[in-house]
Amino acid sequence: MEEPETWSTGLIIWTAVAVLLPVLITLWCSVQRSRRQQLRSNIFQAEKHCWKETDLFSKPTYCSVCGLHILGGAHCLCCGLCTDEVCLNKANSRFPCKEIMMRTEVGNAPYQRHHWVRGNVPLCSLCVVCGLQCGSQPKLCDYRCVWCQRTVHDDCMQNDLKTEDCDFGEFRNLIVPPSYLSAVSQMKKGKTADYEKLASSMGAHWTPLIVMANTRSGNNMGEVLLSEFKSLLNPVQVFDLNKISPFKALQLCTLLPANTVKVLVCGGDGTVGWVLDAVDEMKIKGQESLSLQVGVLPLGTGNDLSNTLGWGAGYAGDVLVEQILRDIMEADTIKLDRWKVQVTNKGYSLRKPKMMSMNNYFSIGPDALMALNFHHHREKTPSLFSSRLVNKAVYFFYGTRDCLVQECKDLNKKVELELDGERIDLPNLEGIVVLNISCWGGGCRLWEGMGDELYPLSRHDDGLLEVVGVYGSFHCAQIQVKLANPVRLGQAHTVRLILKSSKMPMQVDGEPWAQGPCTVTITHKTRALMLYHSGDQTDDDDEASSASDQEQHKDPE
């Protein structure tokens, strides 16, 4: 009788071992892997360098420590130093990175020695001594200064070059020098923060640039841009908006002279609005003299504000970062109206009215419905919406579907529209768009070019809103390809829209939501200073209108 019990017990033990052993091995491997990842993370987060791990370099690369050719490893986002994983600790201890601050006496003129990094020099660079091409030989033989970007041959490297002061090169007027930040730190300790006097030593044309990038926008090019801007500017000037809010990033402006700072926003129209809201918040909280000039590098899907300001319909890496900085230095300053959108729910409610800022447009109807459907699906699977082309294809799909469903029909029976207090009789519409800028729906110009002298061209600095209507999604598609015109409803300083019944999709600058019965009131809020790029035409400009368009966008005297 005991044999069956023994056999049964042994079977249970062996079964338990067979089940638990793989689990224990898996857990042990997981712990070891996490330890290795933590160790690697600690190395890559070293204070001296901003390391970025790379499995495969895009060009022939040599380790700056051992000099051997490497396929993968790490490179510093700030100074460009390259190394394999074995030499990481040696690189941290042997080679300094860009200094964001340096010692200097208060009142002294800022100075900076060249910071030479050996090897992996760009092929297109020229030696500052002999004028011949650098980086042509596949070995660590040439040098590059991480501040002024000048290059020199190993053989041409002379003693005076090693001790010569660096003038920060072509982009000196955009860089915040390390010596300036150190001098500011000393001034704050002495409680004599005269930034204007300190900035006078930087030159009359010094307009420091703050770069903010949304690494989640559009084609996910934000990380590449952050690296390139850090290599050309002081890393303290470059911010990732996924790690720090615009309000905190703009605190750097409090250490700089008023009316001199430029801001480059790398992202979509929503990111630009986020930054402009932060600027308004700083003014409310005691920085009334803050006057920033904001430029846009379009990484989003629609990029209508960028198109209006001459920065194009979307950045795809086809323009060098150096050229972007040149365009920022040469850009004109214009004014942009900003509007307050107040949404008050119908009936008694304990909730405060919903308040939003508007730079581009407000809409109710089919285009807001497409944005709402797109937003819901992107929230569920964000990894599938990393391409601008894919995003536009999804928008096209939802627009085609709405042509058949017509969820927003009979809008004229559900809403009332008032322009400056005057009731407007609506035709049989499905959508209403209230415009502050000339572009809508990814570059389409709704108000311009319709040949009616009673309606002047739209401007983004006249304190007026343009209001148009659309008959449906198919009508929107016809407008996009210029086969039809929208319904002009008028211009106004104040727009009020009353949704009497039902629930309708609405959006402000691409941020959609579903809204029940309410009153929407749009009034003027403030004006922002923006950078206008007049060098290139936007997608919808033609040669005949380019001259008048540039005149329109210039800041009136």
Side-chain angles (χ1 to χ4, degrees):
M1 295 294 294
E2 294 182 359
E3 283 189 13
E5 288 186 13
T6 304
W7 181 82
S8 175
T9 303
L11 180 61
I12 293 174
I13 293 174
W14 280 108
T15 302
V17 171
V19 172
L20 292 176
L21 185 60
V23 173
L24 293 174
I25 293 176
T26 302
L27 289 174
W28 182 83
C29 293
S30 177
V31 170
Q32 294 299 316
R33 182 169 62 251
S34 63
R35 286 180 178 177
R36 289 195 301 268
Q37 290 177 349
Q38 183 64 36
L39 179 61
R40 179 180 296 179
S41 175
N42 293 336
I43 295 176
F44 278 93
Q45 293 176 0
E47 295 181 358
K48 294 186 178 181
H49 290 277
C50 183
W51 295 113
K52 174 69 175 180
E53 187 177 11
T54 303
D55 294 329
L56 182 65
F57 288 107
S58 59
K59 61 180 181 179
T61 304
Y62 291 81
C63 177
S64 299
V65 178
C66 63
L68 298 178
H69 178 265
I70 53 177
L71 295 177
H75 71 280
C76 178
L77 300 180
C78 300
C79 69
L81 197 71
C82 298
T83 178
D84 56 17
E85 293 187 15
V86 178
C87 299
L88 265 176
N89 287 327
K90 293 182 180 179
N92 278 325
S93 60
R94 188 179 302 178
F95 299 106
C97 190
K98 270 187 172 181
E99 293 181 274
I100 62 174
M101 296 179 65
M102 64 179 296
R103 293 294 179 183
T104 185
E105 295 297 328
V106 177
N108 285 0
Y111 70 94
Q112 175 75 41
R113 301 297 185 193
H114 284 293
H115 184 150
W116 299 106
V117 172
R118 190 175 187 181
N120 304 308
V121 174
L123 293 176
C124 58
S125 55
L126 300 177
C127 178
V128 295
V129 177
C130 66
L132 299 179
Q133 184 177 359
C134 287
S136 57
Q137 299 182 19
K139 60 180 181 179
L140 297 177
C141 59
D142 301 328
Y143 293 86
R144 176 182 61 89
C145 176
V146 298
W147 287 109
C148 66
Q149 309 304 319
R150 293 185 175 92
T151 55
V152 61
H153 289 125
D154 196 355
D155 297 336
C156 297
M157 177 64 77
Q158 302 171 358
N159 292 330
D160 57 341
L161 283 178
K162 294 181 179 179
T163 58
E164 183 184 64
D165 288 347
C166 177
D167 63 357
F168 296 98
E170 179 182 4
F171 306 116
R172 63 180 67 89
N173 289 329
L174 300 178
I175 295 175
V176 179
S179 55
Y180 177 88
L181 295 177
S182 297
V184 167
S185 177
Q186 295 181 33
M187 291 172 65
K188 293 187 71 174
K189 292 178 181 178
K191 298 182 180 181
T192 56
D194 188 359
Y195 301 140
E196 299 289 345
K197 181 178 179 181
L198 180 61
S200 62
S201 61
M202 305 301 302
H205 302 288
W206 186 52
T207 54
L209 176 68
I210 295 177
V211 178
M212 302 183 189
N214 186 350
T215 54
R216 296 181 59 186
S217 293
N219 289 343
N220 287 337
M221 298 191 64
E223 291 186 0
V224 177
L225 288 169
L226 283 174
S227 174
E228 296 186 5
F229 280 120
K230 284 182 178 180
S231 67
L232 294 172
L233 306 173
N234 190 331
V236 78
Q237 300 172 241
V238 184
F239 299 93
D240 183 353
L241 293 182
N242 281 324
K243 298 179 179 179
I244 186 173
S245 68
F247 182 81
K248 291 184 178 180
L250 289 174
Q251 297 304 311
L252 177 61
C253 299
T254 62
L255 306 179
L256 300 170
N259 304 318
T260 63
V261 182
K262 295 182 177 181
V263 177
L264 177 62
V265 182
C266 306
D269 291 343
T271 306
V272 179
W274 190 19
V275 173
L276 293 179
D277 284 341
V279 175
D280 290 342
E281 185 181 356
M282 289 189 68
K283 291 182 178 180
I284 293 174
K285 294 185 177 180
Q287 299 292 329
E288 297 87 355
S289 62
L290 186 66
S291 180
L292 305 180
Q293 305 166 47
V294 181
V296 183
L297 184 61
L299 300 182
T301 302
N303 303 312
D304 291 301
L305 180 59
S306 171
N307 230 336
T308 300
L309 299 178
W311 296 101
Y315 179 74
D318 50 339
V319 180
L320 295 176
V321 173
E322 290 86 350
Q323 184 58 47
I324 295 172
L325 294 179
R326 296 184 190 106
D327 293 339
I328 289 292
M329 290 190 292
E330 297 173 359
D332 301 321
T333 303
I334 64 168
K335 293 180 180 179
L336 174 71
D337 288 324
R338 305 194 70 224
W339 301 82
K340 179 176 68 175
V341 180
Q342 177 176 311
V343 181
T344 305
N345 293 326
K346 189 176 180 180
Y348 178 77
S349 177
L350 295 177
R351 294 183 179 180
K352 294 182 179 179
K354 187 176 183 178
M355 307 290 291
M356 292 165 285
S357 298
M358 185 187 85
N359 304 311
N360 300 357
Y361 41 73
F362 163 87
S363 70
I364 177 174
D367 64 326
L369 179 61
M370 287 186 284
L372 184 61
N373 289 330
F374 174 85
H375 177 76
H376 286 330
H377 282 77
R378 184 171 60 177
E379 288 295 314
K380 292 179 181 178
T381 54
S383 60
L384 299 179
F385 295 86
S386 60
S387 169
R388 188 180 295 117
L389 183 62
V390 171
N391 294 350
K392 291 189 175 183
V394 174
Y395 265 100
F396 176 77
F397 166 76
Y398 285 122
T400 304
R401 190 187 70 170
D402 189 56
C403 289
L404 303 175
V405 179
Q406 292 184 318
E407 294 184 29
C408 302
K409 63 181 179 180
D410 298 329
L411 179 69
N412 56 305
K413 299 178 182 178
K414 302 174 183 177
V415 304
E416 295 179 1
L417 178 66
E418 296 180 4
L419 302 183
D420 289 337
E422 181 180 351
R423 174 82 176 271
I424 303 298
D425 293 330
L426 298 175
N428 187 17
L429 300 174
E430 288 191 25
I432 296 174
V433 184
V434 182
L435 297 158
N436 179 49
I437 61 176
S438 58
C439 288
W440 166 86
C444 177
R445 296 185 182 272
L446 288 181
W447 190 261
E448 299 179 8
M450 296 176 65
D452 192 341
E453 295 182 358
L454 296 177
Y455 294 95
L457 293 177
S458 64
R459 293 175 61 95
H460 43 65
D461 59 353
D462 58 357
L464 281 173
L465 293 167
E466 287 75 36
V467 186
V468 300
V470 295
Y471 293 119
S473 295
F474 184 68
H475 187 206
C476 291
Q478 289 180 309
I479 295 172
Q480 291 277 356
V481 296
K482 300 182 180 179
L483 294 178
N485 292 325
V487 181
R488 270 182 165 167
L489 300 175
Q491 291 179 304
H493 297 89
T494 302
V495 175
R496 177 175 287 107
L497 186 145
I498 303 171
L499 179 60
K500 297 181 292 185
S501 62
S502 181
K503 179 176 284 190
M504 294 292 293
M506 298 182 181
Q507 70 159 330
V508 172
D509 292 352
E511 298 297 326
W513 74 97
Q515 178 65 48
C518 68
T519 299
V520 179
T521 306
I522 306 177
T523 55
H524 194 271
K525 179 182 179 183
T526 183
R527 280 181 174 174
L529 294 180
M530 308 297 292
L531 294 175
Y532 176 73
H533 178 42
S534 58
D536 297 322
Q537 293 295 309
T538 56
D539 290 350
D540 297 280
D541 287 335
D542 53 31
E543 295 181 0
S545 63
S546 61
S548 62
D549 207 33
Q550 289 183 23
E551 263 322 296
Q552 171 188 341
H553 288 296
K554 285 189 177 180
D555 188 16
E557 295 182 1

